[in-house]
């Protein structure tokens, strides 16, 4: 899932300072799970803003709404009407959600309340770690399910680099060397010969942004995007 963290309150407060009526829009999926931008966090942000505005003697309404996913047109379309009553919008979604909402409401300033950090996993309550760089060419089938792009500090596709010390990374001795882990995983699975395969240069041309993926079943419908 997408992991994000809330921006410092002061930064959010300053972004919306010129606006009276502000709608805060939460996202009920990734950022709700990582406790950054779901319904509860929207309520908390609204309470903080309300208090700060009261203290500053600033008038204005603060609205709250949380949709299932801000990155899905189906869920944000109804916000066009809701947002019409407000001067500005704060989105507590990841960057994708903020941009989709901003495109839906081109006449209205839409501000991000979060910093999007990475694609990761939930190791334990409140503990998230990065796992994927969405690199367009997944190597996990060749590397024992351990991503060299993300887990190797240098992102080496054909490691290890030679600087490994006692199974630790030379860049950060606190971190396990990803390529040692890959070696051990492949060995434990009886697939160690796999490590001798030389991975080709990463197809960076595929990572040109912004990326577009059209599911084959919809190719004809969206032919213009190809
Ligand atoms: S907008 Fe971002 S945070 Fe919300 S569901 Fe989509 S990807 Fe996840
Ligand atoms: S190789 Fe790593 S970064 Fe690339 S898609 Fe697979 S998991 Fe993600």
């Amino acid at each position: 899932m997408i992991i994000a963290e809330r921006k410092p309150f002061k930064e959010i407060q300053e972004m919306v300072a010129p606006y009276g009526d502000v709608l805060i829009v939460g996202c009920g999926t990734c950022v709700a799970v990582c406790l950054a931008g779901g319904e509860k966090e929207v309520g908390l942000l609204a309470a903080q803003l309300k208090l700060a505005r009261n203290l500053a003697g600033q008038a204005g309404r603060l609205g709250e709404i949380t949709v299932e996913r801000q990155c899905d047109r189906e869920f944000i379309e109804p916000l066009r009407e809701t947002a019409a009553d407000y001067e500005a919008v704060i989105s507590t979604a990841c960057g994708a959600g903020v941009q989709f909402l901003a495109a839906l409401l081109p006449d209205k300033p839409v501000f991000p309340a979060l910093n999007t950090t990475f694609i990761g996993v939930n190791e334990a309550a409140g503990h998230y770690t990065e796992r994927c760089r969405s690199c367009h060419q997944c190597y996990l089938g060749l590397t024992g399910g351990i991503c060299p792009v993300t887990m190797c500090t240098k992102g080496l596709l054909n490691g290890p680099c030679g600087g490994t010390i006692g199974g630790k990374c030379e860049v950060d001795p606190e971190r396990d060397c990803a390529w040692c882990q890959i070696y051990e995983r492949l060995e434990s699975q009886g697939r160690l010969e796999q490590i001798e395969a030389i991975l080709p240069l990463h197809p960076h041309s595929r990572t040109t942004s912004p990326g577009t993926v059209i599911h084959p079943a919809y190719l004809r419908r969206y032919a213009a995007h190809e």
Side-chain angles (χ1 to χ4, degrees):
M1 66 179 181
I2 305 287
I3 310 295
E5 297 170 302
R6 208 187 82 174
K7 286 178 175 289
F9 177 68
K10 199 166 164 39
E11 187 180 338
I12 302 171
Q13 188 187 18
E14 285 174 1
M15 283 190 283
V16 294
Y19 306 97
D21 296 342
V22 176
L23 176 66
I24 307 174
V25 183
C27 184
T29 308
C30 317
V31 291
V33 176
C34 67
L35 309 174
E39 193 173 2
K40 279 187 189 161
E41 292 74 35
V42 165
L44 182 63
L45 177 58
Q48 279 182 289
L49 268 176
K50 192 173 175 190
L51 186 62
R53 287 178 160 216
N54 284 345
L55 288 172
Q58 185 180 357
R61 270 181 321 129
L62 289 172
E64 298 173 39
I65 188 167
T66 297
V67 298
E68 181 108 10
R69 287 192 299 277
Q70 282 187 39
C71 55
D72 195 322
R73 197 177 295 284
E74 179 188 346
F75 295 113
I76 61 167
E77 198 69 49
L79 293 176
R80 220 192 282 268
E81 207 177 311
T82 316
D85 293 338
Y86 294 87
E87 294 167 48
V89 174
I90 296 174
S91 164
T92 68
C94 71
V98 177
Q99 289 184 64
F100 217 28
L101 196 55
L104 181 85
L105 309 169
D107 300 331
K108 216 160 288 279
V110 176
F111 299 104
L114 307 185
N115 290 323
T116 308
T117 36
F118 50 72
I119 299 176
V121 296
N122 191 356
E123 301 252 18
H127 181 187
Y128 312 102
T129 54
E130 185 175 12
R131 284 292 190 279
C132 176
R133 293 266 166 90
S134 58
C135 73
H136 293 237
Q137 174 58 54
C138 196
Y139 300 105
L140 294 173
L142 303 170
T143 56
I146 296 167
C147 172
V149 179
T150 313
M151 307 305 279
C152 168
T153 313
K154 300 173 186 176
L156 296 179
L157 293 188
N158 291 289
C161 62
T164 313
I165 305 158
K168 298 292 183 186
C169 175
E170 71 166 348
V171 176
D172 177 1
E174 297 294 311
R175 288 172 59 147
D176 291 329
C177 165
W179 275 97
C180 284
Q181 292 179 301
I182 291 169
Y183 183 99
E184 285 164 8
R185 178 77 57 81
L186 291 174
E187 186 179 43
S188 72
Q189 294 176 0
R191 299 199 289 149
L192 198 49
E193 74 285 352
Q194 184 69 62
I195 207 156
E196 289 177 12
I198 305 293
L199 294 179
L201 287 176
H202 186 74
H204 288 285
S205 57
R206 284 195 214 158
T207 62
T208 313
S209 293
T212 299
V213 172
I214 297 176
H215 190 282
Y218 291 87
L219 276 182
R220 199 177 304 163
R221 182 188 294 185
Y222 302 113
H225 294 271
E226 280 184 278

